[in-house]
């Protein structure tokens, strides 16, 4: 019978997709025992850097040049983004969350590591009844993964259209990672318009740079089947959606096979995470509780400006990409691709 390992299992799908290994899971089904309201607050606090880091990565890596592609010219790229979790987002304090039925046990710390915090358990918690009476149920806040970088990946194809416009598609069909780690899919759409040919006609030959406006939308969907404590409740699962939107102004200059670029833009992302199904738990003192669809969280994670410096190297059909972005979570992006035409 599977246990509710879902914070660590949910993180593992990212690690698996990036070719990394994780061999740690933390049993945290006790988070539900205090009721849906407290569980949602704890889960949001624990996952906060994942929401922000993955949300930032969704807006990254769309383009590395302001030059649009010629009509029906195309390229395909695979890239990866690493978003760095600041020190302030590596821990959380349960005393600041407004919990109703969970308090630190006598003499225990109220601090817990977030998902991308240190690989150590947080403070020991005690569950209280709705009337404020302590129960005999205790648990430790779940541990972090022990590293402070949130990875994400982009798989993208770009096609040139008339009028100095190109469009991009990000897509990954639903992939079953494993029975324990669930399934993942991705979809996204983007477009770029090169401005100088539209605004000044042939004068772009005089101005030695390329300028463009670009935008994109990307969504990850993740589903994890669960079988927690009661195998008859086959409807147990986690559904999560991560959405990211960006708009950028880009300047670049092609120097033979090397094209440096700079961009400034706006990014926003949101997360919609739900734990669905019916869950039965022993809550201590000889009592039990049943919760249906106990967690529903929808929040905006990233909303602000960003600045990026990067480059593209082009050798015939082959391309190499790299960039650094300064934003709420700083990021690096690197990738490879191939294409036909300019």
């Amino acid at each position: 019978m599977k246990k509710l390992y879902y914070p660590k299992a949910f993180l593992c799908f990212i690690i698996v997709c990036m070719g990394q290994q994780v061999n740690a899971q933390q049993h945290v089904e006790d988070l539900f025992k205090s009721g849906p309201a407290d569980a949602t607050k704890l889960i949001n606090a624990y996952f906060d850097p994942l929401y922000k880091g993955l949300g930032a990565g969704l807006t990254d890596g769309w383009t590395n040049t302001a030059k649009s592609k010629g009509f029906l010219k195309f390229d395909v790229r695979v890239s990866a983004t690493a978003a760095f979790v600041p020190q302030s987002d590596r821990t959380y304090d349960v005393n600041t969350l407004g919990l109703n039925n969970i308090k630190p046990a006598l003499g225990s710390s109220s601090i817990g590591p977030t998902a991308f915090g240190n690989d150590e358990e947080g403070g020991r918690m005690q569950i209280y009844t709705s009337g404020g009476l302590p129960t005999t149920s205790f648990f430790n806040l779940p541990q972090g993964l022990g590293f402070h970088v949130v990875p994400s990946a982009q798989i993208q194809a770009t096609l040139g259209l008339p009028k100095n416009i190109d469009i991009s598609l990000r897509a990954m069909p639903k992939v079953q990672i494993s029975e324990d780690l669930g399934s993942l899919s991705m979809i996204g759409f983007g477009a770029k318009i090169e401005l100088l040919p539209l605004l000044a006609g042939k004068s772009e030959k005089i101005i030695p740079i390329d300028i463009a406006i670009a935008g994109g939308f990307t969504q990850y969907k993740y589903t994890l089947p669960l079988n927690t404590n009661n195998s008859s409740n086959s409807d147990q699962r986690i559904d999560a959606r991560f959405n990211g939107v960006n708009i950028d102004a880009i300047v670049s200059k092609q120097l033979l096979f090397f094209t440096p670029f700079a961009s400034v833009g706006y990014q926003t992302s949101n997360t919609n995470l739900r734990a669905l199904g019916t869950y039965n738990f022993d809550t201590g003192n000889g009592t039990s509780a049943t919760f249906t669809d106990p967690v529903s969280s929808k929040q905006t994670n990233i909303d602000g400006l960003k600045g990026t410096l990067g480059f593209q190297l082009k050798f015939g059909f082959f391309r190499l990409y790299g960039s650094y972005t300064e934003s709420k979570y700083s990021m690096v992006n690197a990738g490879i691709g191939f294409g036909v035409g300019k």
Side-chain angles (χ1 to χ4, degrees):
M1 179 183 297
K2 280 192 289 184
K3 300 291 187 180
L4 183 58
Y5 291 124
Y6 88 79
K8 284 297 178 74
F10 184 59
L11 292 170
C12 282
F13 89 84
I14 301 174
I15 309 303
V16 170
C17 290
M18 299 301 296
Q20 300 184 34
Q21 297 294 322
V22 162
N23 188 26
Q25 291 183 321
Q26 173 66 34
H27 188 222
V28 291
E29 66 182 24
D30 292 320
L31 294 183
F32 284 104
K33 293 182 179 180
S34 63
D38 281 0
T40 299
K41 291 174 183 177
L42 282 171
I43 288 166
N44 284 339
Y46 180 75
F47 279 143
D48 183 62
L50 174 64
Y51 295 162
K52 293 175 181 175
L54 188 55
L58 290 173
T59 70
D60 202 30
W62 279 102
T63 185
N64 295 78
T65 175
K67 186 71 176 177
S68 62
K69 297 193 174 302
F71 181 52
L72 296 184
K73 307 302 182 181
F74 70 91
D75 70 24
V76 177
R77 67 169 65 187
V78 178
S79 61
T81 295
F84 301 102
V85 178
Q87 185 69 42
S88 59
D89 283 355
R90 297 177 189 176
T91 60
Y92 62 97
D93 186 344
V94 296
N95 288 337
T96 67
L97 301 181
L99 303 179
N100 295 314
N101 302 317
I102 294 176
K103 296 179 182 179
L106 184 64
S108 295
S109 171
S110 63
I111 303 299
T114 61
F116 286 85
N118 293 333
D119 184 11
E120 58 188 22
E121 285 187 332
R124 186 165 177 79
M125 300 292 112
Q126 185 171 13
I127 296 176
Y128 287 69
T129 68
S130 58
L133 298 176
T135 72
T136 58
S137 185
F138 296 84
F139 68 96
N140 282 85
L141 296 173
Q143 66 196 66
L145 281 176
F147 61 95
H148 316 305
V149 177
V150 183
S152 57
Q154 302 87 29
I155 305 170
Q156 178 178 316
T158 301
L159 176 69
L161 299 180
K163 304 296 183 180
N164 305 99
I165 297 173
D166 58 38
I167 57 173
S168 298
L169 171 68
R170 288 181 170 179
M172 182 174 67
K174 186 175 181 180
V175 175
Q176 185 70 33
I177 302 169
S178 73
E179 181 181 355
D180 292 329
L181 297 180
S183 61
L184 174 72
S185 63
M186 178 181 67
I187 190 70
F189 305 94
K192 181 174 67 182
I193 303 175
E194 189 181 349
L195 296 180
L196 290 182
L198 297 178
L199 299 177
K202 296 182 179 181
S203 66
E204 74 270 18
K205 295 180 180 180
I206 301 173
I207 303 175
I209 58 174
D210 299 307
I211 302 174
I213 297 291
F217 165 81
T218 309
Q219 180 183 85
Y220 283 134
K221 293 182 180 180
Y222 177 63
T223 301
L224 175 66
L226 299 174
N227 188 0
T228 304
N229 287 342
N230 187 343
S231 60
S232 65
N233 293 328
S234 60
D235 60 342
Q236 296 176 356
R237 70 186 188 278
I238 292 172
D239 283 346
R241 295 188 182 190
F242 302 88
N243 301 315
V245 176
N246 63 284
I247 301 174
D248 296 283
I250 309 163
V251 177
S252 68
K253 171 63 178 178
Q254 184 172 346
L255 304 170
L256 298 177
F257 57 86
F258 176 63
T259 303
F261 81 95
S263 69
V264 293
Y266 167 78
Q267 60 179 351
T268 183
S269 71
N270 63 74
T271 300
N272 187 348
L273 183 146
R274 298 179 296 167
L276 303 176
T278 302
Y279 301 81
N280 301 318
F281 296 105
D282 176 8
T283 57
N285 293 347
T287 63
S288 62
T290 299
F291 301 125
T292 300
D293 299 345
V295 173
S296 179
S297 173
K298 185 175 183 180
Q299 62 184 53
T300 298
N301 313 305
I302 299 287
D303 187 31
L305 298 177
K306 64 172 183 170
T308 302
L309 294 173
F311 67 89
Q312 172 181 276
L313 291 173
K314 181 179 177 183
F315 305 100
F317 294 103
F318 186 67
R319 286 101 161 98
L320 287 173
Y321 311 102
S323 65
Y324 170 80
T325 297
E326 184 65 36
S327 62
K328 189 168 186 177
Y329 274 28
S330 59
M331 300 177 286
V332 293
N333 176 273
I336 60 174
F338 69 90
V340 174
K342 295 182 178 180

